[in-house]
Amino acid sequence: MKKLSYLLLVLAFSQVQAQKDFQGMAVYESKTQAPKFEGMRAGNRDITPEMQKTMEERMKKMLEKTFVLNFDKTASIYKEEEKLETPGQQGGGMRIMMNSFMGGGGTFYKDVKSKSYTVDKEFMGKEFLVVDSLPKLNWKMEQETKQIGGYNCFKATAVKEASKTDFRNFRPKNNDDKKEEAKKTSGDTKTNFEDNFEIPKEIIVTAWYTPEIPVNQGPENYWGLPGLILEVNDGKTTILCSKIILNAKDKVEIKPSKKGKVVSQKEYDETVIKKMEEFREMNRGRAGGPPPMMGR
């Protein structure tokens, strides 16, 4: 009887230790539908169809990224996988600017136990450390299921407020909006690049999660489902898991970054929005041309 009790105690301790040491890695491929540049051509005759096509292709490549999520039972770090640039590749200035607006280039740390996140960002040569509470999405559990990489996944949807500092949320204005805008600016035939786009107030998010990996984690700032989120779509951006490794021999240290000026998400957004407005005023009257950092 004592022997049995000892074995049960050892087994219980082993299970607790296994949970404590549990760690996984998930690789995600992120693709965002690149905006069209017809509006730029309409306001700038210098932009040829070939230039328009080149800009759209360049934008498409910049919007294709690979991220790695390392996670345990309560925390995770999400970071873009660094890629070597092709020699002579142009558009570096725009890439830096877009990384700032899209939250790229930093390490996103999530602690679902304390419901907080930390992400280091570099914007306009300054380093920031954004520390704030994780956004709480009211997930609606749907009936649909599908398989992703051999894992059974369940569908969930939610509505979230669109970030004004995330370039991926920019949507082309429809023709009616452009006509209304033209009435307001009648007499001024020049258009600004940003005048052709708008940001919606809300975005519908569709996520696919698997209870077979019972962690409250996911890519970017997504969390709150009873299983690892393997796919997220917001209508313009799709983040899809392409590889999963559980309990690898080599462990990764999961901890937040500490570099940069500590600010809240609201404070950081206000800084970015102010700079975007400065760009807007500086570029206004350039006959719809691209921002100066875009390159051609």
Side-chain angles (χ1 to χ4, degrees):
M1 189 71 178
K2 288 183 179 179
K3 202 170 189 179
L4 179 61
S5 297
Y6 175 75
L7 288 173
L8 290 173
L9 185 63
V10 170
L11 181 61
F13 177 79
S14 298
Q15 289 177 337
V16 171
Q17 192 66 28
Q19 286 185 347
K20 184 179 179 181
D21 295 337
F22 171 80
Q23 195 175 104
M25 181 196 78
V27 178
Y28 292 87
E29 307 297 333
S30 174
K31 293 185 178 181
T32 300
Q33 182 181 341
K36 299 296 183 181
F37 290 87
E38 289 92 342
M40 289 176 59
R41 286 194 61 214
N44 189 343
R45 296 179 181 178
D46 292 335
I47 298 180
T48 65
E50 291 75 20
M51 291 171 61
Q52 175 185 325
K53 184 179 180 181
T54 299
M55 285 189 288
E56 290 176 356
E57 289 177 351
R58 187 179 298 168
M59 181 79 75
K60 180 182 178 183
K61 288 182 179 179
M62 282 191 286
L63 293 172
E64 293 178 352
K65 297 175 177 288
T66 300
F67 293 86
V68 176
L69 177 75
N70 287 286
F71 58 89
D72 56 27
K73 284 289 184 178
T74 60
S76 68
I77 51 175
Y78 184 72
K79 189 173 183 180
E80 183 181 353
E81 191 177 70
E82 294 183 5
K83 296 180 181 179
L84 292 174
E85 290 191 10
T86 305
Q89 187 175 5
Q90 298 179 352
M94 185 185 182
R95 188 175 296 103
I96 293 172
M97 184 176 70
M98 286 181 58
N99 272 341
S100 297
F101 293 159
M102 294 172 60
T107 299
F108 198 111
Y109 171 85
K110 290 198 299 286
D111 186 335
V112 297
K113 191 174 183 180
S114 64
K115 296 181 175 57
S116 64
Y117 71 91
T118 301
V119 56
D120 56 311
K121 293 172 176 282
E122 183 176 343
F123 181 70
M124 304 304 292
K126 296 182 180 180
E127 292 185 336
F128 296 89
L129 189 65
V130 181
V131 181
D132 217 318
S133 300
L134 280 169
K136 175 66 175 176
L137 294 181
N138 295 317
W139 292 107
K140 178 184 177 183
M141 304 302 185
E142 308 287 355
Q143 298 298 316
E144 295 177 54
T145 63
K146 70 175 181 178
Q147 280 209 341
I148 299 177
Y151 289 93
N152 293 313
C153 296
F154 295 83
K155 182 179 179 180
T157 57
V159 177
K160 75 170 186 177
E161 183 180 352
S163 170
K164 295 180 180 179
T165 61
D166 191 335
F167 184 83
R168 295 172 302 180
N169 292 332
F170 281 37
R171 306 291 195 263
K173 287 185 178 180
N174 60 42
N175 291 329
D176 291 337
D177 290 336
K178 291 179 182 178
K179 290 177 181 177
E180 188 65 29
E181 191 70 24
K183 289 180 182 178
K184 295 179 182 179
T185 59
S186 59
D188 183 4
T189 57
K190 296 180 180 179
T191 59
N192 183 39
F193 168 72
E194 295 173 3
D195 290 336
N196 297 299
F197 298 93
E198 61 184 354
I199 298 177
K201 291 183 179 180
E202 295 180 330
I203 292 176
I204 298 175
V205 178
T206 300
W208 295 88
Y209 68 95
T210 176
E212 295 172 23
I213 306 178
V215 295
N216 194 354
Q217 292 287 348
E220 294 191 358
N221 59 356
Y222 293 107
W223 68 292
L225 289 170
L228 180 64
I229 299 172
L230 299 189
E231 182 179 342
V232 177
N233 179 274
D234 67 1
K236 297 285 288 186
T237 299
T238 298
I239 305 173
L240 177 63
C241 182
S242 60
K243 181 181 180 181
I244 294 177
I245 298 177
L246 299 177
N247 291 320
K249 188 175 293 184
D250 297 326
K251 302 295 182 182
V252 175
E253 190 173 29
I254 298 176
K255 65 178 185 179
S257 175
K258 293 184 178 180
K259 63 178 182 179
K261 178 185 176 182
V262 178
V263 294
S264 67
Q265 186 66 58
K266 182 180 178 181
E267 290 171 330
Y268 177 78
D269 288 348
E270 287 174 349
T271 300
V272 175
I273 290 172
K274 182 180 178 181
K275 185 57 65 175
M276 290 173 70
E277 289 174 348
E278 290 177 6
F279 270 121
R280 183 184 180 89
E281 291 304 314
M282 185 170 62
N283 294 325
R284 188 172 294 280
R286 285 171 53 89
M293 298 179 68
M294 179 176 284
R296 293 189 180 182

